[in-house]
Amino acid sequence: KAKELSGNQYQFYSSDIVDRSVESVQLENDLYKALDQGGNEFFLHYQPKFNANTNEITGMEALVRWNHPKLGFMPPNMFIPLAEETGLIVKLGEWVIRQSCLQMKRWYDAGLTELVISANLSPQQFRQHDITNVVKEILEETQLPPENLELELTENIIIHNSETMLATMHKLKNLGIKMSIDDFGTGYSSLGYLKDFPIDTLKIDKSFIDDITTNTNNAAITNTIITLADSLNLSVIAEGVEDQEQAEFLIEHGCYLMQGYYFSRPLEAAKLEEVFLKNLSQKG
Ligand code: C2E
Ligand code: MG
Ligand code: MG
Ligand code: MG
C-alpha cells in the first residue's frame, strides 16, 4: 500500500506502516506456531440461536477465540483478518470445523439430535480447492450427521459470482449440510444470485437490527429481507438482538429465529450446558 502513496504522504505514513507490519509479522508467527502445535491456544465459544415461537434453542454458532501466550484473550477480529491475509485461515478454519463437529457430536449423543452447530467459513477457506473434501472427512471422522452442521458464508464469497463458486456451493450442499449467508444485507452482491444458491437461511446483519425500532430505513430493509427469505422459501434469522423491543419488532414482522445478547452471549460449552441444554435433553 505504501507504494501507492506519493511524496510527503509516504514520509508521513511510513514509520507507522513499519511498526504495524513488525507487529503483524510477530502475530503471524505466533499464529503459525499456535496452529502448528495443534491448536491448544484456541478455543470456541458457542452462541445459541433461539426460536421465539417455541422458546427453544435451535442450535448454536461456534465463535473462535485465541488465548495468546503473552497477549492473553484475543477476540476473532484481532486475528481472523490476519489469518485470512496469510492463508493461515485454512488451517485455523479446519480446526474450528473439526472442534465444532466433535462438540456437536457429544451433544447429539446426549440426545440433542435436533440441534445444528454453525461454523463460519471465510472466503479464503471457501476458495481452497478441496474444501468439500475437508468438510466431508471431518464429518466422517467425527460421525456427526451432516444435517447437524451448518456453514455460515458471507456475501463476500458470492461477490465473485462464478461457475467455480457455484459448483463449490453445490458440492458442499450435496454433503447434506446446511448453509446460510451471514451478515446478510451488508455485501455488495446482487439479489439475483440468491435463487441459484443452495442455501437454507439468510442471517440479517446486526447493523440493521441495532436501531430497528428507531430507524425506519433499517426497519424497512429488515422487513424486505424477511419477505425475500419468505418468498424464496428460505429461513431467516436476526443476529445481534440486544433487547426486548427488537425481539418484539422481529416477531411482529415474521422473523422468529434470533441470536443476540438479549438471549445469550457466546458461552463456553460447559456453561451452555449448565444454562440451556440440561432442560432440553431432559425434555427429549
Ligand atoms: P459473525 O459470524 O457475524 O458473529 C457475530 C459476532 O457478533 C460475534 O462476535 C458475536 O459474539 C457478536 N454478537 C452476537 N450477538 C451480539 C449482540 O447482541 N451484541 C453485540 N454487540 N455483539 C453480538 P465475535 O465472536 O467477536 O466474532 C466476530 C466475527 O469474527 C464473526 O462475526 C465472524 O465473522 C468472525 N469469526 C468468529 N469465529 C470465526 C471462525 O471460526 N472462522 C471465521 N472464518 N470467522 C470467525
Ligand atoms: Mg457468523
Ligand atoms: Mg454474522
Ligand atoms: Mg455481523
Side-chain angles (χ1 to χ4, degrees), residues 14-280:
S14 62
S15 73
D16 189 40
I17 286 169
V18 171
D19 282 355
R20 271 192 289 137
S21 59
V22 167
E23 249 172 54
S24 68
V25 166
Q26 181 61 52
L27 208 58
E28 181 184 340
N29 283 336
D30 295 348
L31 199 55
Y32 181 85
K33 247 196 291 173
L35 287 166
D36 210 39
Q37 288 161 357
N40 291 336
E41 292 173 13
F42 300 103
F43 59 100
L44 296 178
H45 276 172
Y46 302 89
Q47 188 177 31
K49 299 180 179 184
F50 277 91
N51 182 332
N53 257 347
T54 60
N55 234 347
E56 283 179 343
I57 295 181
T58 61
M60 53 289 275
E61 176 177 8
L63 295 155
V64 69
R65 281 88 181 82
W66 182 12
N67 191 7
H68 188 282
K70 290 210 193 75
L71 302 171
F73 179 91
M74 297 244 270
N77 60 11
M78 287 183 74
F79 61 93
I80 291 283
L82 181 68
E84 268 274 310
E85 274 169 42
T86 55
L88 289 170
I89 191 71
V90 170
K91 202 163 179 191
L92 178 59
E94 193 175 328
W95 182 90
V96 169
I97 299 173
R98 179 172 290 107
Q99 294 307 311
S100 300
C101 290
L102 281 170
Q103 180 59 68
M104 185 58 229
K105 180 64 161 73
R106 280 183 221 123
W107 285 326
Y108 187 96
D109 288 344
L112 304 169
T113 55
E114 305 292 310
L115 295 182
V116 174
I117 191 112
S118 314
N120 292 285
L121 197 71
S122 79
Q124 175 82 2
Q125 231 184 320
F126 181 81
R127 282 194 290 269
Q128 81 184 88
H129 70 284
D130 61 344
I131 181 65
T132 311
N133 281 331
V134 169
V135 176
K136 185 169 177 247
E137 274 163 26
I138 292 174
L139 286 168
E140 282 167 7
E141 176 191 319
T142 59
Q143 292 290 301
L144 181 72
E147 57 271 26
N148 294 82
L149 172 67
E150 175 180 66
L151 295 178
E152 297 191 1
L153 284 57
T154 60
E155 280 177 278
N156 299 339
I157 288 175
I158 285 146
I159 222 166
H160 312 284
N161 197 341
S162 71
E163 290 295 311
T164 340
M165 193 254 347
L166 204 58
T168 306
M169 284 191 97
H170 279 281
K171 274 193 252 164
L172 279 171
K173 184 62 193 164
N174 286 341
L175 296 175
I177 65 171
K178 297 187 166 71
M179 295 208 285
S180 64
I181 306 219
D182 203 355
D183 303 332
F184 188 76
T186 58
Y188 296 95
S189 50
S190 88
L191 292 180
Y193 68 78
L194 276 177
K195 62 174 180 2
D196 299 329
F197 285 0
I199 51 166
D200 303 276
T201 302
L202 300 180
K203 196 166 182 184
I204 308 170
D205 190 61
K206 175 179 182 300
S207 60
F208 302 115
I209 307 303
D210 280 341
D211 53 7
I212 199 179
T213 55
T214 52
N215 181 317
T216 50
N217 290 331
N218 285 346
I221 292 170
T222 301
N223 283 331
T224 305
I225 298 175
I226 296 169
T227 310
L228 180 69
D230 200 46
S231 51
L232 292 172
N233 262 317
L234 302 173
S235 298
V236 63
I237 181 167
E239 70 170 17
V241 178
E242 291 185 344
D243 59 46
Q244 191 180 344
E245 287 70 39
Q246 293 166 343
E248 278 168 1
F249 178 100
L250 287 162
I251 293 167
E252 261 168 46
H253 293 85
C255 177
Y256 303 100
L257 300 175
M258 303 178 202
Q259 195 184 20
Y261 292 176
Y262 178 59
F263 301 98
S264 172
R265 291 190 172 244
L267 302 169
E268 51 188 83
K271 189 77 186 164
L272 192 74
E273 287 168 11
E274 193 185 309
V275 181
F276 297 108
L277 300 183
K278 283 270 156 57
N279 311 334
L280 265 180

